Amino acid sequence: MANLLDVLKGKLEGKNVRIVFPEGNDERVLAAAVELSKTDYVAPVVLGNADELKSVSEKLGLSLDGLETIDPATSELRSELIASFVERRKGKATEEQAEQMMNDGNYFGTMLVHTGQAAGLVSGAAHSTADTVRPALQIIKTKPGVSKTSGVFFMLREDEQYVFGDCAINPTLEASDLAEIAVESAKTAQSFGMEPKVAMLSFSTKGSAKTSETEKIVEATRLAQDKKAEAGLDDVIIDGEFQFDAAFVPSVAAKKAPESPIQGDANVFVFPSLEAGNIGYKIAQRLGGFDAIGPILQGLNAPVNDLSRGCSTDDVYDLAIITAAQTL
């Protein structure tokens, strides 16, 4: 399998997709944006105070020539974005409140996406997930038929490529939520050229234990299998419940789930809870040597993606490529 990012860069050549970065005064973000500005597949739009951006660039020895920067406090776009925000919130925000919110880079950047002046947004290097997601949910909102956004990671190691979710957003998940995440994760995998085989994870395989937790996964699997047809994913395999080894190791699958259409070849993994997903991806990243790209937010009307606060410059760069590719 060709490297995912190389494939995406090939698809993005000449597109110059406008991606906004609200955290321009973060060294990692600014360094990544400068590198992206040298390409023809992402056109970065960096938000921040002009003096602060200059100071950070000088510290890093970077040139800002050719990089588009906007200061939300002084931008001529403010009045347009304020009016659009008040209209979008439908009485939930006054003009005075909107004016204050446009001082927040995440709100300003999300409004650039909403008004079509950027195609997507990458934030989170210096903000919590909630700070990134809240404006997106208020302004961009979820697609019709999607009740909750969720966050998946692409896990990459050499020619291996997997999707893990939800690892970022929802602390508690009902069976219906897990089913929705399974379908949205399958769509995400498909959109990046994968043929998804979705495993619904638990601490039980095919009824080896029966508790309220395992029964929730059984129900989620049934609902997901129903929902995939509605989503036009009839050919996608979704099955469960699985322990991870039964979904990933053919010899274990043959013993524990011999009748399943998944025989140790799952490539999309839906975790039963946020804590399981978050722990799982970090173990794969830190012990398994996988690159973790994300979280990539699913179910929104436009791509808004959240960095980890422990991210590197390469992580910012890579997530920007993923974000741009989501617009194609």
Side-chain angles (χ1 to χ4, degrees):
M1 183 187 298
N3 180 278
L4 172 67
L5 293 169
D6 289 340
V7 170
L8 296 182
K9 289 174 186 177
K11 291 181 177 180
L12 288 166
E13 281 185 5
K15 302 293 186 183
N16 287 306
V17 179
R18 286 170 62 82
I19 302 297
V20 61
F21 296 85
E23 302 165 317
N25 60 352
D26 185 286
E27 294 181 6
R28 299 161 295 176
V29 172
L30 190 60
V34 167
E35 287 304 306
L36 288 163
S37 71
K38 300 172 184 177
T39 75
D40 65 352
Y41 34 82
V42 172
V45 180
V46 175
L47 306 186
N49 175 271
D51 291 337
E52 291 181 2
L53 294 180
K54 182 180 178 182
S55 175
V56 174
S57 66
E58 288 177 349
K59 177 182 177 182
L60 298 176
L62 299 173
S63 170
L64 298 183
D65 292 344
L67 180 66
E68 182 178 355
T69 62
I70 299 175
D71 185 345
T74 60
S75 171
E76 60 186 18
L77 297 172
R78 278 183 68 87
S79 58
E80 173 192 345
L81 298 185
I82 288 167
S84 182
F85 180 80
V86 171
E87 179 183 359
R88 184 63 166 166
R89 295 297 289 148
K90 299 186 185 301
K92 295 181 180 178
T94 65
E95 187 170 329
E96 291 75 18
Q97 290 170 327
E99 173 125 15
Q100 186 64 33
M101 286 181 169
M102 288 310 108
N103 292 327
D104 182 313
N106 282 321
Y107 273 96
F108 191 97
T110 303
M111 284 303 303
L112 289 179
V113 176
H114 173 62
T115 57
Q117 296 176 79
L121 178 146
V122 173
S123 187
H127 290 85
S128 68
T129 295
D131 288 337
T132 301
V133 173
R134 189 182 303 109
L137 293 177
Q138 291 178 353
I139 299 165
I140 294 174
K141 302 185 179 182
T142 55
K143 296 176 182 176
V146 177
S147 63
K148 291 183 177 179
T149 189
S150 54
V152 299
F153 280 84
F154 277 98
M155 307 300 296
L156 309 177
R157 185 178 65 183
E158 297 180 354
D159 63 346
E160 296 177 82
Q161 180 175 315
Y162 307 103
V163 174
F164 284 13
D166 176 4
C167 302
I169 304 296
N170 300 289
T172 57
L173 294 164
E174 301 300 327
S176 59
D177 301 322
L178 290 167
E180 187 173 276
I181 289 168
V183 170
E184 291 301 310
S185 298
K187 289 181 184 177
T188 297
Q190 275 191 338
S191 71
F192 289 101
M194 296 173 65
E195 295 182 8
K197 290 190 175 183
V198 184
M200 310 294 286
L201 297 181
S202 181
F203 58 82
S204 166
T205 299
K206 296 295 183 179
S208 61
K210 285 192 179 292
T211 69
S212 59
E213 292 85 1
T214 63
E215 289 302 301
K216 180 170 74 171
I217 307 305
V218 172
E219 174 67 4
T221 302
R222 184 187 68 77
L223 292 173
Q225 290 168 345
D226 291 341
K227 285 177 71 70
K228 73 173 186 175
E230 300 169 14
L233 301 175
D234 301 78
D235 295 334
V236 170
I237 294 171
I238 301 176
D239 200 21
E241 87 277 23
F242 289 113
Q243 293 161 286
F244 183 83
D245 57 353
F248 191 70
V249 181
S251 61
V252 178
K255 293 177 182 177
K256 291 187 174 183
E259 304 301 320
S260 173
I262 292 177
Q263 285 297 299
D265 54 353
N267 55 10
V268 178
F269 299 93
V270 177
F271 290 82
S273 67
L274 177 60
E275 61 184 354
N278 193 268
I279 292 167
Y281 101 79
K282 288 183 183 291
I283 288 175
Q285 179 187 35
R286 301 300 180 179
L287 289 183
F290 280 84
D291 291 327
I293 301 178
I296 295 148
L297 303 190
Q298 303 180 138
L300 293 169
N301 282 306
V304 170
N305 288 321
D306 177 41
L307 294 157
S308 165
R309 278 175 283 181
C311 68
S312 66
T313 296
D314 287 344
D315 292 333
V316 181
Y317 186 99
D318 292 346
L319 189 57
I321 299 300
I322 293 279
T323 306
Q326 285 180 283
T327 70
L328 298 179

